Amino acid sequence: MNSTAESPNVKAFALHPGSIPTDVAKQSGLIEQGMEMPDPPELPAATMLYLSSGKADWLSGRYVESTWDLGQVEREWKDKILAKDLLINKLDVVA
């Protein structure tokens, strides 16, 4: 059973924050190895504010990238995402 059916008022999103040059990222050595971290920390914060506004409740229970233009995702992909139940991670056990 999905969590939306259990608690329809609770919204949950699997949010990827982007590539942010945090202290952990700097200490990992990834930046020195050439991995780019171009995203500012304000990006996931702004995405979380947008998601908490209720404007994207249709994405509840789904994977979301902070780097996505969520207005464009809604305009161009919403119908397909909902129709095909996309952007959902599932653990499926076959008996």
Side-chain angles (χ1 to χ4, degrees):
M1 178 177 287
N2 92 31
S3 62
T4 303
E6 294 173 24
S7 303
N9 295 325
V10 175
K11 306 301 179 213
F13 307 91
L15 180 65
H16 187 289
S19 297
I20 301 167
T22 62
D23 289 341
V24 171
K26 292 172 187 171
Q27 293 168 5
S28 71
L30 291 173
I31 295 172
E32 288 80 16
Q33 293 176 27
M35 182 168 190
E36 294 183 20
M37 305 233 171
D39 302 320
E42 294 84 5
L43 180 64
T47 303
M48 287 185 273
L49 283 173
Y50 183 80
L51 293 173
S52 67
S53 75
K55 295 176 184 175
D57 281 356
W58 64 274
L59 282 169
S60 182
R62 300 178 193 282
Y63 175 84
V64 178
E65 286 259 359
S66 289
T67 58
W68 294 346
D69 176 336
L70 293 179
Q72 180 182 18
V73 170
E74 182 169 5
R75 284 188 309 277
E76 297 179 17
W77 292 95
K78 179 181 178 179
D79 292 340
K80 184 180 279 188
I81 290 168
L82 294 175
K84 294 188 176 189
D85 210 16
L86 303 175
L87 301 176
I88 295 177
N89 291 323
K90 296 179 183 182
L91 175 61
D92 194 0
V93 179
V94 179

